[in-house]
Structures are given as C-alpha cells and as structure tokens.
Amino acid sequence: MEEEIVARREKGGFWVGLAAVLFYPLTAIVARRVYVGAEKIPRQGPALLVMNHISHLDPAVDAVFVHRQKRVPRFLYKESLNRAPILGPIVSGSGQIPVSRGSTAAGDSLKAAHQALQDGKIVVIYPEGTITRDPAGWPKESFTGAARLALQNDVPIIPVARWGTSQIFDGYAKKFTPFPRKTITHSVGDPLDLSAYRGGNTRSASKLREVTKIMMDDVTRLLGEIRHEEPPSAKPGDPV
C-alpha cells in the first residue's frame, strides 16, 4: 500500500507542543476560525508564506493556522522577545528566527531563514515588518527581505491574507476586545510564479522592489476578498 505522507504531522518537539497547548485554547476562545484554500499549504517540503500584519495577535493565530495544516511554522521575531518570561523560552525553543534590528547581526536572521527553507521548513514572513498603521488595516510599505528569500530559494511562495485579529487586539489603540467572539479568516492564494525574476542579479534593488510589490499586491487582493471590499485605488507604498 502506498504510504500516506499527507496525513503525517511534522514533528515539533516539546516547545512547539507547549505553544500549541497555550495558543489553541486562546485563539479558540476569542474567535471562530475560517480557512479558505488551506489545502494549498504544502504538507511536506519548504515554503515561504507571505502575510499581512494587522495585530500583535497575528503570530499566535497564524501559528495555529499553520500547525493545523500539520506543519511547524518558523517566524522571524524581535530578538527582545527572548527575554519575555513565558514567550521567550517558547519562541527560542521552538526554532523561531530572532531578528536583532539595527545591529550588525540583523542580516543573520535572513541567513537563518534561508537555512530553514533549505532544511525543508515553512517560513512565515510579514514583509511590512510591523503591524500596519493604515487606519483601515490595508497593507502599507513593505521591506524587501521577503523578496530576497523568494528569489534565492526555489520554493513555493504562497500569499496568505488574514483578517479579524485587529478587531480583538488593536495594538496602536491599546484596545483588547475579546468579546463578543469574533471571526478570524485566513485566505491562501495560489503559489506565485517568480521564475522570470530568479535569473540574473537577484540582489538588484529594483527587482527586489518589483517582486515585493507582486507579493503584497496578491496579499492585498486576497484581503479585499475576505473583507468584501475593493482595496484602495492608491497602491500600498513602495517597498523599502
């Protein structure tokens, strides 16, 4: 009988299991989950998930989303989280990728993300770098780190939009509204074909900006579909 690979869950170890014990109930209490196109997440092998960022709650919710697809996500996170009492050991112990912003070690995070992809892992990245400051929650300026990963690794590049977390926790307004229970929707797009951009100089600034725009345009389109709204006619700010 042919081995059923799809049904297997990627092993995560103790810290991933602890994160699941904490995050599954937390996200279930405050929100109903709706997943659209989740079958497009590969059940094995590397992939780069490119997502919008609207709330500090996103990583916990997105981790559960990816874990429910039987995969262990690798996020890029602020190195300062390592010093958090509970979250610190979880993020470091579960193989997440620290980012030391403004330091000489900042580039090491991309190297670690490259290595994770080469090792067959799923990497989740928020090209905006931090939660959007757009009052309506649309994606804004994005950095080109995701494009660098996309061009230097021949792996599926999958756009994913998520909506609903900012209605629970608005980080800029410092507003936490867990009840009434909200709906959080993830919508997964088709893998992007970036083969035309992988030749030549993959470090070209103009090429990286163009690829960043392609990725974020697709994320924005998916977000519009979730919200049943047309995205702003003015495109999100140029990548930086």
Side-chain angles (χ1 to χ4, degrees):
M1 181 181 294
E2 183 179 356
E3 186 177 13
E4 184 58 51
I5 298 176
V6 173
R8 292 179 176 178
R9 176 179 293 282
E10 181 182 355
K11 294 181 179 179
F14 171 79
W15 291 108
V16 171
L18 179 59
V21 168
L22 293 175
F23 293 161
Y24 270 70
L26 170 66
T27 57
I29 289 171
V30 299
R32 295 173 290 271
R33 293 181 288 245
V34 175
Y35 297 157
V36 180
E39 70 280 357
K40 298 174 186 176
I41 303 295
R43 297 313 193 259
Q44 60 177 336
L48 180 65
L49 305 189
V50 180
M51 303 187 69
N52 63 314
H53 199 6
I54 54 176
S55 169
H56 293 104
L57 191 60
D58 292 344
V61 168
D62 298 340
V64 170
F65 164 67
V66 175
H67 195 257
R68 286 174 67 89
Q69 314 317 313
K70 304 183 184 299
R71 298 303 304 271
V72 176
R74 265 66 180 184
F75 289 84
L76 280 74
Y77 71 96
K78 293 180 182 179
E79 186 272 340
S80 58
L81 283 179
N82 284 337
R83 295 182 287 278
I86 298 176
L87 195 57
I90 290 176
V91 295
S92 60
S94 61
Q96 307 310 306
I97 302 168
V99 178
S100 301
R101 293 180 180 174
S103 74
T104 55
D108 291 344
S109 60
L110 280 185
K111 293 179 183 178
H114 281 297
Q115 188 61 53
L117 291 171
Q118 292 170 16
D119 291 342
K121 308 302 183 183
I122 280 190
V123 173
V124 179
I125 191 166
Y126 304 125
E128 295 163 272
T130 186
I131 58 176
T132 180
R133 289 185 177 273
D134 178 53
W138 296 103
K140 303 299 286 183
E141 294 85 2
S142 294
F143 294 90
T144 57
R148 296 183 187 187
L149 289 173
L151 294 185
Q152 294 175 26
N153 295 275
D154 190 8
V155 302
I157 310 301
I158 303 175
V160 183
R162 172 242 315 99
W163 185 246
T165 49
S166 59
Q167 299 169 20
I168 300 169
F169 181 50
D170 184 334
Y172 288 124
K174 307 298 182 185
K175 186 176 181 181
F176 181 53
T177 313
F179 303 108
R181 200 160 172 247
K182 314 296 191 300
T183 297
I184 297 176
T185 302
H186 286 78
S187 180
V188 184
D190 294 324
L192 297 172
D193 182 4
L194 300 176
S195 56
Y197 296 90
R198 289 200 171 101
N201 181 12
T202 57
R203 296 180 181 273
S204 163
S206 60
K207 181 183 289 189
L208 291 172
R209 287 194 296 269
E210 186 173 354
V211 169
T212 302
K213 183 177 183 303
I214 289 170
M215 295 190 297
M216 292 309 294
D217 278 356
D218 221 42
V219 171
T220 302
R221 177 186 60 79
L222 291 168
L223 182 58
E225 292 175 359
I226 294 174
R227 297 172 57 170
H228 303 292
E229 299 177 35
E230 282 294 325
S233 56
K235 297 293 184 182
D238 291 334
V240 295

